[in-house]
Amino acid sequence: MINFLLFPILITFFTGMILIFFQKNIFMQRSISLISLATATICAFLVMLQVQREGIQSVTFGNWPVPYGITMVADGVSTLLVFTSLLLAFFLIWYSFGSIGKEREHFFYYPGIMFILTGVNGAFTTGDIFNMFVFFEVLLMSSYLLIVLGGEKKQLRESIQYLLVNIISSALFVITVAYLYSVVGTLSMADISVKIAEINQPGIITTIAVLFLVVFGLKAAIFPLYFWLPSSYAAPPIPVLALFGALLTKVGVYAIMRTYTLFFVHDIAFTHQLLLIFAVLTIIAGCIGALAHFDVKQIIIYNIVIAVGVILFGAAQMNFDGLEGAMFYLIHDMIIKAALFMLVGIIIYITGTSDLRKMGGLMKKYPSLGWFYLIAAFGLAGIPPLSGFIGKLLIVQGGFAAGNTGTSIFILASSLIVLLSVIRIFLYAFWGKEGQTVQIQEKTYKQLYYPTVILVVISIVYGVGAEWVTPFMDAAAHVLTDPSVYIEAVMKGAQP
Amino acid sequence: MKANKLKTNDLILQFTAKIVFFIIFFFSIHIFFAGHYTPGGGFVGGLLTSSAIVLLVIAFDLKTVRKILPINYMYMTATGLILALATAAFPIFVGKPFFTHFFDYFDLPLFGKTSLHTAALFDLGVFLVVVGVTMTIIQTIGEDE
């Protein structure tokens, strides 16, 4: 079945459309979206297995020959990301049953989630640079809906800022693609890679590489383009925040990794050195923010920025270990960020505040929540055998192999600050004197608690069972280190 | 249009609108079907149709127009989306890549030998989405107090 790799995208897309018809029927909305997400996740898993077994899958729309049509490519990298994002979305939807509120559910909350998943998974799977832009817009439009849905004053203010930043970066994206098209004359990603190799990356292509770094850096929040992220992400309700934190910046990170390993590989001394410097600066900026705040949401939001820096540091090494580490860390970070936002969300719901200084003593009433939070915090910092360990280990190993000793040690040191920032939440919220709490219903608490706990358990399994995941990561890193694998798989049967 | 203290008489506007509506509407249908060989297509056709409806809204008011055209534009958008995606997804069932279009020549009773192409169905989806979205925007802003 040649179209099978499209199923995870198509199922969510269709569901989003059908859900528009059930605007007022919340039960239907919930059950349809849950069922279709489960189906899409299973499909994504099967696609992942198929790619592992038979190699890279690709389909070109409309039966056109390869560089002329839009190609969708499922390789090790994209299938892993698609599967993870659908899995996270399943638990996030479950979590939002108890937390998002009826008013929002009536106003296209679930279709918004479905369309954002279409955009995210499409951007992961596409093999055409302009099609990637279109999928970026799909996910951004849906994120505009989700960020403003509810119409609180704070949401309205932050959504204007978010819109402005993203419109500017989208315009820059179009301009950059126009430059690239005028130089190489093609939009298919495999073909662009071939053409750039033919002309051996002259100065103008390096300029375009830097422009792409600016464009995707605005989406992925790297230093100094992360200024919009902390305030924008604090505005929407928790399930939306978790969805954004787990998926949206990672699309930008994926796009940087893809373009910097497939297109711009002939002048590494300049472009990847630049990427490395920005990655380190991003980590510093994130660490400062994560320590500076007493607001639980802000602490985790700044941890997104740190993780983006770590992943890009791994990607900048351009060796097998560094890239495999970046993939390990990317998937780990998606899972753990969703879990942490959900945990922090529960803390906010039961204390009624996001200010750490007003909390305290939750351990007596909610012991299991406390210990699961501690596990998630240790996982984020990368304490073995939890999930963050293997990725960071490989990234640092790659850094040493590439001769970046000082910066690699800095990455290790930054883990301490990450640990400090999340342990502060544990100390303030769970230890100490009893702070303020609000009464929430047992049923609501359970609706929030179970998906969160399952996600934390998944992150533990991901860390402990790294052996099972390694073959997939190997395949992903193999595609990233050697662009010719990708090009050959896509261009087979292409016209000369 | 709200009733002012001074009674206004929109007779000329309303009478012209009734006629011009059909001219614009049929032109939009023409543009829609011409899209394959000449400039035009679903997007412009949809915009023209919605501009015809907007003319009615200007000449009469939102309530009257809703009585004439009792359409839920939100559902219209969703129907258009589903039609477009279903056209694109149909080839999956016959083992062709997604988005493959089919065409053939048919002898239709009135038109004679005509080529029919599934791209027109996709365009119809686009048409419905454009009309639905434009009218939703205009209705929502128009009803806002």
Side-chain angles (χ1 to χ4, degrees), chain A residues 1-3 6-7 10 13-14 17-18 20-23 59-63 108 115, chain B residues 74-79 81-82 85-86 89 91-93 95-101:
Chain A
M1 192 98 152
I2 39 176
N3 293 298
L6 297 173
F7 276 34
L10 289 181
F13 200 12
F14 251 126
M17 297 168 184
I18 289 166
I20 296 178
F21 288 106
F22 299 104
Q23 194 196 347
V59 58
T60 306
F61 285 173
N63 223 354
F108 305 111
F115 289 135
Chain B
M74 215 86 89
Y75 289 172
M76 191 173 183
T77 314
T79 316
L81 278 170
I82 289 177
L85 193 69
I92 291 177
F93 298 107
K96 289 266 168 56
F98 185 72
F99 246 119
T100 309
H101 285 299

Side-chain angles (χ1 to χ4, degrees), chain A residues 219-291:
Chain A
K219 316 269 186 207
I222 66 172
F223 179 86
L225 306 167
Y226 73 103
F227 57 89
W228 54 272
L229 181 119
S231 55
S232 294
Y233 276 24
I238 293 291
V240 178
L241 167 61
L243 191 77
F244 283 17
L247 300 183
L248 290 199
T249 50
K250 307 305 181 289
V251 186
V253 171
Y254 162 80
I256 292 177
M257 278 171 77
R258 183 61 93 191
T259 47
Y260 273 60
T261 55
L262 187 61
F263 299 171
F264 311 115
V265 289
H266 307 283
D267 188 13
I268 295 181
F270 181 75
T271 50
H272 288 62
Q273 196 63 33
L274 193 73
L275 187 62
L276 190 140
I277 292 167
F278 277 124
V280 170
L281 290 174
T282 309
I283 296 172
I284 294 175
C287 286
I288 292 172
L291 286 185

Side-chain angles (χ1 to χ4, degrees), chain A residues 313 396 400 404-414:
Chain A
F313 180 84
V396 170
F400 283 138
N404 300 314
T405 320
T407 40
S408 300
I409 292 171
F410 169 76
I411 299 278
L412 286 179
S414 76

Side-chain angles (χ1 to χ4, degrees), chain B residues 88-117:
Chain B
F90 169 72
I92 291 177
F93 298 107
V94 292
K96 289 266 168 56
F98 185 72
F99 246 119
T100 309
H101 285 299
F102 304 94
F103 70 96
D104 207 349
Y105 294 92
F106 295 93
D107 267 320
L108 297 181
L110 205 55
F111 299 94
K113 192 182 172 199
T114 320
S115 71
L116 293 182
H117 200 294

Side-chain angles (χ1 to χ4, degrees), chain A residues 319-374:
Chain A
N319 52 25
F320 192 82
D321 282 345
L323 286 166
E324 190 175 13
M327 276 311 292
F328 254 115
Y329 204 79
L330 183 56
I331 304 293
H332 143 76
D333 192 62
M334 287 166 81
I335 300 171
I336 204 78
K337 281 288 138 59
L340 271 173
F341 276 119
M342 286 154 83
L343 283 163
V344 159
I346 297 180
I347 296 176
I348 291 175
Y349 283 119
I350 51 186
T351 57
T353 172
S354 62
D355 190 345
L356 272 182
R357 283 166 294 199
K358 289 181 189 157
M359 302 174 183
L362 289 179
M363 207 55 168
K364 276 179 208 141
K365 257 173 111 179
Y366 302 99
S368 62
L369 183 70
W371 295 119
F372 273 116
Y373 178 80
L374 193 67

Side-chain angles (χ1 to χ4, degrees), chain A residues 405-480:
Chain A
T405 320
T407 40
S408 300
I409 292 171
F410 169 76
I411 299 278
L412 286 179
S414 76
S415 302
L416 287 175
I417 297 183
V418 170
L419 183 63
L420 179 61
S421 70
V422 281
I423 282 300
R424 267 170 75 231
I425 299 181
F426 183 72
L427 292 181
Y428 273 90
F430 289 99
W431 276 173
K433 272 200 310 219
E434 201 137 335
Q436 69 175 71
T437 48
V438 283
Q439 206 59 43
I440 66 163
Q441 285 175 341
E442 187 71 8
K443 187 171 164 252
T444 319
Y445 178 71
K446 283 205 173 120
Q447 260 174 349
L448 301 176
Y449 180 75
Y450 287 123
T452 315
V453 165
I454 296 174
L455 214 51
V456 176
V457 171
I458 288 176
S459 92
I460 298 172
V461 172
Y462 179 77
V464 177
E467 199 73 17
W468 302 325
V469 195
T470 309
F472 297 102
M473 296 296 171
D474 274 341
H478 186 58
V479 176
L480 287 176

